[in-house]
Amino acid sequence: MNNSFIIAGVMGWPVAHSRSPLIHNHWIRQFNLSGAYGFFPVQPNNLESAIRGLQALGLAGCNITIPHKVNAMAYVDWVHPLAKRIGAINTIVVQPDGALHGFNNDGFGYIQSLLDAQPNWRADAGPIAVIGAGGAARAIVVSLLDAGATEIRVINRTHDKAEEFAREFGSAVFSVKWDAREDALTDAALLVNTTSQGMHGEPALDISLSNLPTSALVSDAVYIPLETPLLKEARLRGNRTVNGLGMLLHQARPAFQAWFGVMPEVGAALYEKVAKTI
Ligand code: NAP
């Protein structure tokens, strides 16, 4: 680690809602580092110049959030193979030679959040039902496959997108029609909602859990509110639940390590600090 002041931040539009500055600045203080993490509000038409400016400004890198995660890939010099498979980046690290490297840590964050809830969790414990086929689903499905999942049922309102998933991600991924979503829960070991349904201001995800074994883990990528209607229903019927905040907190860890040189943990103090803002 050198002694210079290290600066990183999050590029998004809008970006004021992002919890990333709270997370990274917590760790900067915890490790007594010399640095700061800020908000970078970047309109879509300025994305390329903002990314190209990282190196010129001497920044360590940045996170990339909505709506830039897919488009930003075109403006970095190298994309990690995992991020390529996901089709989006959420982190840029400026290399010592100035090259911009793109990563996607969302799937890492998701798997870590499951392990927090259930340290002996295994991806091959049984069929996995994934609701949704958007960006969050791509990160989650790729990381579940890499963790050893043997059967992933992708269920999406627009069935064509679920079929594309099954084609793209290979023989362990199956598409299920929206109307058959409840049948797909029978014998599932893990259910994950990757849609925006259940988010504050959105209706609850339209699904009955009556076919789901109570031994199944139920997780939600949504973290506002922390307990979505899906997670509440799951908890009340006896399923173990995992909210979306763990995914958000854990995805930040590898980026922080790349920029600041220390791999942080997600402790109770950080969890409480961020949860209080939700
Ligand atoms: P996205 O790419 O726009 O995908 C949205 C998905 O939701 C699509 O599959 C869409 O289905 C589905 N959907 C939308 N409205 C629906 C409805 N009324 N009924 C059923 N399905 C519906 O969005 P995303 O980037 O994947 O984000 C999805 C959620 O994940 C957001 O709430 C986001 O905040 C959350 N997220 C959390 C984290 C975290 O760190 N915890 C990280 C990333 C994202 P169609 O294909 O039919 O439109």
Side-chain angles (χ1 to χ4, degrees), residues 254-265:
F256 188 86
Q257 181 180 37
W259 302 321
F260 295 98
V262 189
M263 184 63 159
E265 297 297 327

Side-chain angles (χ1 to χ4, degrees), residues 132-136 156-158 161 194-195 197 199 221-223 244 247-248:
N156 196 48
R157 177 183 60 175
T158 307
K161 276 165 71 181
T194 75
T195 76
Q197 300 296 279
M199 199 160 105
V222 171
Y223 59 90
M247 175 174 174
L248 178 75

Side-chain angles (χ1 to χ4, degrees), residues 65-66 69-70 90 105-107 109-110 113 131-140 154-162 165 178 181 193-200 202-206 220-224 243-251:
T65 189
I66 291 171
K69 285 185 178 187
V70 173
N90 81 335
N105 301 318
D106 282 339
Y110 177 68
S113 75
I131 315 284
R138 292 183 68 88
I140 287 172
V154 176
I155 304 148
N156 196 48
R157 177 183 60 175
T158 307
H159 187 61
D160 289 358
K161 276 165 71 181
F165 254 66
W178 188 247
R181 62 195 179 283
N193 171 45
T194 75
T195 76
S196 48
Q197 300 296 279
M199 199 160 105
H200 180 71
E202 295 280 339
L205 182 68
D206 178 17
D220 206 321
V222 171
Y223 59 90
I224 304 173
N243 67 39
L245 182 54
M247 175 174 174
L248 178 75
L249 296 172
H250 280 285
Q251 62 75 30

